[in-house]
Amino acid sequence: SKSDDSLRAKIKDHLKQTKHKFIVLDDDPTGVQTVHDIFVITVWGIDWIKKDLSDERSDLI
């Protein structure tokens, strides 16, 4: 919808300006089947989390 697109654009703009990460924790194992164009972390070891959080991609929302 138009309001969803507007909110998505605002979030993208904010993340580009601040270099913050937007992280969602989902306990539904089927959750990743219903989303697209995002970076999904499936391994929770500390080394993987550090690597993934340092990823510079910002066009993932």
Side-chain angles (χ1 to χ4, degrees):
S1 77
K2 185 175 181 171
S3 63
D4 289 345
D5 291 342
S6 175
L7 181 57
R8 187 173 286 117
K10 287 179 184 179
I11 292 170
K12 277 185 170 184
D13 186 50
H14 175 76
L15 294 176
K16 283 180 184 177
Q17 290 179 23
T18 64
K19 304 291 185 189
H20 288 161
K21 299 283 182 174
F22 188 75
I23 299 171
V24 176
L25 300 176
D26 185 359
D27 65 349
D28 178 2
T30 62
V32 295
Q33 297 173 5
T34 60
V35 297
H36 55 86
D37 296 330
I38 64 167
F39 191 53
V40 176
I41 299 172
T42 59
V43 178
W44 287 97
I46 191 70
D47 291 334
W48 279 101
I49 292 172
K50 285 180 181 178
K51 177 183 177 287
D52 295 333
L53 289 176
S54 66
D55 190 285
E56 293 298 321
R57 289 178 285 181
S58 63
D59 59 346
L60 300 173
I61 285 185

